[in-house]
Amino acid sequence: MQQHQIVSREQWVAARKAHLAHEKALSQARERLAEARRALPWVKVDKAYVFDGPKGQVTLGDLFKGRPQLVVQHVMFAPDWEAACKSCSFWADGFERMVPHLAARDTTMVAISLAPSAKLEAFKKRMGWTFDWVSSGNNDFNYDYEVSFTREQIDQGVPKYNFGTTPFYGPELPGISVFFRNEAGEIFHTYSCFARGLDMMNTAYQYLDLTPLGRHEEGLPYPMDWVRLRDQYEPQAKGGCCHG
């Protein structure tokens, strides 16, 4: 880390207040963006999706659990993998304890992956997660919402991920999709985000952004190269102590 400017408390407060103006402008812009997001048009879901869960088959409507809103975290976990993607798991660790809070605001959260339910449950137990997680391995859900791609699609080289703005970098990619269910039981797809659009949902990254070092991912083979499944981090080495 480069040597940083050191100032008096009074100078620091002045600089901090100047930066606060930028933060407030960002907050106001974010609120306008959220309002515009809520005003986006919807698409009616006409396909009958049936998922495999730990207690049997469930429909997309069942996943709402009687609430009007459903947030789906598309967790990368291919059928032949033995574990979920470490980066998707990084996000999952962050939303694990949010489920009751979202439920209090009429929103259900669920994870969906291609891997069979037995693998999902085993990995869920390993990670200590409690959120609902179902398999879409027997339907087109992942492909329809463009987080899984066939070899033919990849070989064609026509970008489909992130609304066609991002080239393929694998057959399984991350995303979040949002759905609304009205009183008549009709389901609508209201929103999806991918790639950097997921950034704001990662609580650990938001905390790191507050620190002097930030995410300090520069120089790594790729930004999230440092991320591990949370039971795979090596114990932190203890620093020396002059008191022995």
Side-chain angles (χ1 to χ4, degrees), residues 216-233:
H216 55 107
E217 296 176 330
E218 301 82 3
L220 297 177
Y222 61 93
M224 298 188 74
D225 180 64
W226 65 272
V227 174
R228 302 287 184 271
L229 297 176
R230 63 190 182 91
D231 62 357
Q232 291 182 336
Y233 285 106

PDB file of all heavy atoms in Angstrom, residues 216-233:
ATOM      1  N   HIS A 216      -8.717  -4.867  -3.200  1.00  0.00           N
ATOM      2  CA  HIS A 216      -7.309  -5.158  -3.562  1.00  0.00           C
ATOM      3  C   HIS A 216      -7.172  -6.449  -4.382  1.00  0.00           C
ATOM      4  O   HIS A 216      -6.446  -7.385  -4.027  1.00  0.00           O
ATOM      5  CB  HIS A 216      -6.368  -5.110  -2.354  1.00  0.00           C
ATOM      6  CG  HIS A 216      -6.697  -5.972  -1.182  1.00  0.00           C
ATOM      7  ND1 HIS A 216      -5.997  -7.101  -0.880  1.00  0.00           N
ATOM      8  CD2 HIS A 216      -7.635  -5.866  -0.217  1.00  0.00           C
ATOM      9  CE1 HIS A 216      -6.482  -7.662   0.207  1.00  0.00           C
ATOM     10  NE2 HIS A 216      -7.491  -6.931   0.627  1.00  0.00           N
ATOM     11  N   GLU A 217      -7.843  -6.457  -5.512  1.00  0.00           N
ATOM     12  CA  GLU A 217      -7.795  -7.601  -6.430  1.00  0.00           C
ATOM     13  C   GLU A 217      -6.864  -7.357  -7.612  1.00  0.00           C
ATOM     14  O   GLU A 217      -6.749  -8.214  -8.500  1.00  0.00           O
ATOM     15  CB  GLU A 217      -9.210  -7.918  -6.928  1.00  0.00           C
ATOM     16  CG  GLU A 217     -10.141  -8.369  -5.812  1.00  0.00           C
ATOM     17  CD  GLU A 217     -11.569  -8.602  -6.270  1.00  0.00           C
ATOM     18  OE1 GLU A 217     -12.015  -7.930  -7.229  1.00  0.00           O
ATOM     19  OE2 GLU A 217     -12.259  -9.457  -5.683  1.00  0.00           O
ATOM     20  N   GLU A 218      -6.233  -6.201  -7.647  1.00  0.00           N
ATOM     21  CA  GLU A 218      -5.316  -5.893  -8.737  1.00  0.00           C
ATOM     22  C   GLU A 218      -4.144  -6.882  -8.745  1.00  0.00           C
ATOM     23  O   GLU A 218      -3.626  -7.257  -7.705  1.00  0.00           O
ATOM     24  CB  GLU A 218      -4.773  -4.464  -8.595  1.00  0.00           C
ATOM     25  CG  GLU A 218      -5.828  -3.378  -8.596  1.00  0.00           C
ATOM     26  CD  GLU A 218      -6.492  -3.170  -7.254  1.00  0.00           C
ATOM     27  OE1 GLU A 218      -6.088  -3.836  -6.273  1.00  0.00           O
ATOM     28  OE2 GLU A 218      -7.435  -2.355  -7.186  1.00  0.00           O
ATOM     29  N   GLY A 219      -3.754  -7.295  -9.920  1.00  0.00           N
ATOM     30  CA  GLY A 219      -2.618  -8.199 -10.046  1.00  0.00           C
ATOM     31  C   GLY A 219      -2.968  -9.669  -9.940  1.00  0.00           C
ATOM     32  O   GLY A 219      -2.112 -10.534 -10.153  1.00  0.00           O
ATOM     33  N   LEU A 220      -4.210  -9.998  -9.592  1.00  0.00           N
ATOM     34  CA  LEU A 220      -4.629 -11.395  -9.536  1.00  0.00           C
ATOM     35  C   LEU A 220      -4.928 -11.901 -10.951  1.00  0.00           C
ATOM     36  O   LEU A 220      -5.206 -11.104 -11.849  1.00  0.00           O
ATOM     37  CB  LEU A 220      -5.892 -11.537  -8.671  1.00  0.00           C
ATOM     38  CG  LEU A 220      -5.766 -11.168  -7.188  1.00  0.00           C
ATOM     39  CD1 LEU A 220      -7.117 -11.285  -6.503  1.00  0.00           C
ATOM     40  CD2 LEU A 220      -4.745 -12.057  -6.506  1.00  0.00           C
ATOM     41  N   PRO A 221      -4.875 -13.203 -11.167  1.00  0.00           N
ATOM     42  CA  PRO A 221      -5.201 -13.743 -12.499  1.00  0.00           C
ATOM     43  C   PRO A 221      -6.580 -13.294 -12.995  1.00  0.00           C
ATOM     44  O   PRO A 221      -6.785 -13.060 -14.173  1.00  0.00           O
ATOM     45  CB  PRO A 221      -5.155 -15.257 -12.275  1.00  0.00           C
ATOM     46  CG  PRO A 221      -4.189 -15.431 -11.144  1.00  0.00           C
ATOM     47  CD  PRO A 221      -4.423 -14.258 -10.254  1.00  0.00           C
ATOM     48  N   TYR A 222      -7.533 -13.175 -12.078  1.00  0.00           N
ATOM     49  CA  TYR A 222      -8.844 -12.587 -12.346  1.00  0.00           C
ATOM     50  C   TYR A 222      -9.358 -12.062 -11.010  1.00  0.00           C
ATOM     51  O   TYR A 222      -8.892 -12.501  -9.946  1.00  0.00           O
ATOM     52  CB  TYR A 222      -9.812 -13.595 -12.987  1.00  0.00           C
ATOM     53  CG  TYR A 222     -10.115 -14.818 -12.149  1.00  0.00           C
ATOM     54  CD1 TYR A 222     -11.222 -14.857 -11.305  1.00  0.00           C
ATOM     55  CD2 TYR A 222      -9.288 -15.951 -12.207  1.00  0.00           C
ATOM     56  CE1 TYR A 222     -11.501 -15.982 -10.538  1.00  0.00           C
ATOM     57  CE2 TYR A 222      -9.561 -17.070 -11.440  1.00  0.00           C
ATOM     58  CZ  TYR A 222     -10.671 -17.079 -10.614  1.00  0.00           C
ATOM     59  OH  TYR A 222     -10.951 -18.185  -9.849  1.00  0.00           O
ATOM     60  N   PRO A 223     -10.280 -11.100 -11.002  1.00  0.00           N
ATOM     61  CA  PRO A 223     -10.622 -10.407  -9.755  1.00  0.00           C
ATOM     62  C   PRO A 223     -10.985 -11.300  -8.582  1.00  0.00           C
ATOM     63  O   PRO A 223     -10.582 -11.019  -7.447  1.00  0.00           O
ATOM     64  CB  PRO A 223     -11.807  -9.524 -10.175  1.00  0.00           C
ATOM     65  CG  PRO A 223     -11.542  -9.230 -11.600  1.00  0.00           C
ATOM     66  CD  PRO A 223     -10.956 -10.495 -12.160  1.00  0.00           C
ATOM     67  N   MET A 224     -11.748 -12.378  -8.807  1.00  0.00           N
ATOM     68  CA  MET A 224     -12.217 -13.188  -7.677  1.00  0.00           C
ATOM     69  C   MET A 224     -11.354 -14.432  -7.458  1.00  0.00           C
ATOM     70  O   MET A 224     -11.781 -15.381  -6.805  1.00  0.00           O
ATOM     71  CB  MET A 224     -13.684 -13.583  -7.895  1.00  0.00           C
ATOM     72  CG  MET A 224     -14.619 -12.384  -7.971  1.00  0.00           C
ATOM     73  SD  MET A 224     -16.352 -12.849  -7.989  1.00  0.00           S
ATOM     74  CE  MET A 224     -16.569 -13.332  -6.274  1.00  0.00           C
ATOM     75  N   ASP A 225     -10.120 -14.388  -7.929  1.00  0.00           N
ATOM     76  CA  ASP A 225      -9.216 -15.528  -7.759  1.00  0.00           C
ATOM     77  C   ASP A 225      -8.995 -15.871  -6.291  1.00  0.00           C
ATOM     78  O   ASP A 225      -8.767 -17.025  -5.933  1.00  0.00           O
ATOM     79  CB  ASP A 225      -7.876 -15.211  -8.429  1.00  0.00           C
ATOM     80  CG  ASP A 225      -6.874 -16.339  -8.290  1.00  0.00           C
ATOM     81  OD1 ASP A 225      -7.127 -17.431  -8.824  1.00  0.00           O
ATOM     82  OD2 ASP A 225      -5.831 -16.125  -7.634  1.00  0.00           O
ATOM     83  N   TRP A 226      -9.080 -14.877  -5.427  1.00  0.00           N
ATOM     84  CA  TRP A 226      -8.830 -15.086  -3.987  1.00  0.00           C
ATOM     85  C   TRP A 226      -9.965 -15.798  -3.270  1.00  0.00           C
ATOM     86  O   TRP A 226      -9.759 -16.362  -2.197  1.00  0.00           O
ATOM     87  CB  TRP A 226      -8.591 -13.737  -3.310  1.00  0.00           C
ATOM     88  CG  TRP A 226      -9.797 -12.835  -3.325  1.00  0.00           C
ATOM     89  CD1 TRP A 226     -10.139 -11.956  -4.318  1.00  0.00           C
ATOM     90  CD2 TRP A 226     -10.814 -12.729  -2.332  1.00  0.00           C
ATOM     91  NE1 TRP A 226     -11.316 -11.312  -4.006  1.00  0.00           N
ATOM     92  CE2 TRP A 226     -11.752 -11.763  -2.785  1.00  0.00           C
ATOM     93  CE3 TRP A 226     -11.033 -13.353  -1.104  1.00  0.00           C
ATOM     94  CZ2 TRP A 226     -12.880 -11.410  -2.063  1.00  0.00           C
ATOM     95  CZ3 TRP A 226     -12.162 -13.004  -0.371  1.00  0.00           C
ATOM     96  CH2 TRP A 226     -13.070 -12.038  -0.856  1.00  0.00           C
ATOM     97  N   VAL A 227     -11.177 -15.765  -3.838  1.00  0.00           N
ATOM     98  CA  VAL A 227     -12.351 -16.307  -3.155  1.00  0.00           C
ATOM     99  C   VAL A 227     -12.263 -17.822  -3.032  1.00  0.00           C
ATOM    100  O   VAL A 227     -11.866 -18.521  -3.966  1.00  0.00           O
ATOM    101  CB  VAL A 227     -13.652 -15.905  -3.894  1.00  0.00           C
ATOM    102  CG1 VAL A 227     -14.868 -16.586  -3.261  1.00  0.00           C
ATOM    103  CG2 VAL A 227     -13.824 -14.399  -3.876  1.00  0.00           C
ATOM    104  N   ARG A 228     -12.658 -18.329  -1.866  1.00  0.00           N
ATOM    105  CA  ARG A 228     -12.728 -19.766  -1.610  1.00  0.00           C
ATOM    106  C   ARG A 228     -14.096 -20.096  -1.009  1.00  0.00           C
ATOM    107  O   ARG A 228     -14.784 -19.214  -0.496  1.00  0.00           O
ATOM    108  CB  ARG A 228     -11.637 -20.207  -0.612  1.00  0.00           C
ATOM    109  CG  ARG A 228     -10.219 -19.890  -1.056  1.00  0.00           C
ATOM    110  CD  ARG A 228      -9.766 -20.797  -2.179  1.00  0.00           C
ATOM    111  NE  ARG A 228      -8.376 -20.544  -2.537  1.00  0.00           N
ATOM    112  CZ  ARG A 228      -7.982 -19.656  -3.450  1.00  0.00           C
ATOM    113  NH1 ARG A 228      -8.883 -18.922  -4.100  1.00  0.00           N
ATOM    114  NH2 ARG A 228      -6.704 -19.486  -3.726  1.00  0.00           N
ATOM    115  N   LEU A 229     -14.476 -21.345  -1.074  1.00  0.00           N
ATOM    116  CA  LEU A 229     -15.596 -21.780  -0.250  1.00  0.00           C
ATOM    117  C   LEU A 229     -15.210 -21.496   1.191  1.00  0.00           C
ATOM    118  O   LEU A 229     -14.044 -21.645   1.573  1.00  0.00           O
ATOM    119  CB  LEU A 229     -15.871 -23.270  -0.445  1.00  0.00           C
ATOM    120  CG  LEU A 229     -16.308 -23.696  -1.858  1.00  0.00           C
ATOM    121  CD1 LEU A 229     -16.450 -25.210  -1.924  1.00  0.00           C
ATOM    122  CD2 LEU A 229     -17.613 -23.018  -2.256  1.00  0.00           C
ATOM    123  N   ARG A 230     -16.156 -21.106   2.018  1.00  0.00           N
ATOM    124  CA  ARG A 230     -15.773 -20.582   3.325  1.00  0.00           C
ATOM    125  C   ARG A 230     -15.145 -21.599   4.258  1.00  0.00           C
ATOM    126  O   ARG A 230     -14.551 -21.227   5.273  1.00  0.00           O
ATOM    127  CB  ARG A 230     -16.955 -19.894   4.004  1.00  0.00           C
ATOM    128  CG  ARG A 230     -18.139 -20.762   4.324  1.00  0.00           C
ATOM    129  CD  ARG A 230     -19.303 -19.858   4.753  1.00  0.00           C
ATOM    130  NE  ARG A 230     -20.485 -20.610   5.125  1.00  0.00           N
ATOM    131  CZ  ARG A 230     -20.742 -21.024   6.350  1.00  0.00           C
ATOM    132  NH1 ARG A 230     -19.890 -20.800   7.323  1.00  0.00           N
ATOM    133  NH2 ARG A 230     -21.853 -21.686   6.613  1.00  0.00           N
ATOM    134  N   ASP A 231     -15.242 -22.893   3.902  1.00  0.00           N
ATOM    135  CA  ASP A 231     -14.557 -23.896   4.720  1.00  0.00           C
ATOM    136  C   ASP A 231     -13.203 -24.280   4.123  1.00  0.00           C
ATOM    137  O   ASP A 231     -12.573 -25.240   4.570  1.00  0.00           O
ATOM    138  CB  ASP A 231     -15.434 -25.144   4.898  1.00  0.00           C
ATOM    139  CG  ASP A 231     -15.762 -25.849   3.594  1.00  0.00           C
ATOM    140  OD1 ASP A 231     -15.364 -25.337   2.512  1.00  0.00           O
ATOM    141  OD2 ASP A 231     -16.423 -26.907   3.624  1.00  0.00           O
ATOM    142  N   GLN A 232     -12.748 -23.502   3.134  1.00  0.00           N
ATOM    143  CA  GLN A 232     -11.473 -23.816   2.476  1.00  0.00           C
ATOM    144  C   GLN A 232     -10.411 -22.727   2.658  1.00  0.00           C
ATOM    145  O   GLN A 232      -9.316 -22.851   2.131  1.00  0.00           O
ATOM    146  CB  GLN A 232     -11.699 -24.058   0.978  1.00  0.00           C
ATOM    147  CG  GLN A 232     -12.474 -25.334   0.677  1.00  0.00           C
ATOM    148  CD  GLN A 232     -12.648 -25.589  -0.803  1.00  0.00           C
ATOM    149  OE1 GLN A 232     -12.600 -24.663  -1.620  1.00  0.00           O
ATOM    150  NE2 GLN A 232     -12.848 -26.837  -1.173  1.00  0.00           N
ATOM    151  N   TYR A 233     -10.742 -21.664   3.376  1.00  0.00           N
ATOM    152  CA  TYR A 233      -9.719 -20.646   3.641  1.00  0.00           C
ATOM    153  C   TYR A 233      -8.698 -21.207   4.622  1.00  0.00           C
ATOM    154  O   TYR A 233      -9.052 -21.858   5.605  1.00  0.00           O
ATOM    155  CB  TYR A 233     -10.345 -19.381   4.230  1.00  0.00           C
ATOM    156  CG  TYR A 233     -11.095 -18.544   3.230  1.00  0.00           C
ATOM    157  CD1 TYR A 233     -12.485 -18.524   3.229  1.00  0.00           C
ATOM    158  CD2 TYR A 233     -10.423 -17.781   2.288  1.00  0.00           C
ATOM    159  CE1 TYR A 233     -13.192 -17.749   2.311  1.00  0.00           C
ATOM    160  CE2 TYR A 233     -11.095 -16.998   1.376  1.00  0.00           C
ATOM    161  CZ  TYR A 233     -12.479 -16.986   1.385  1.00  0.00           C
ATOM    162  OH  TYR A 233     -13.167 -16.229   0.463  1.00  0.00           O
TER     163      TYR A 233
END
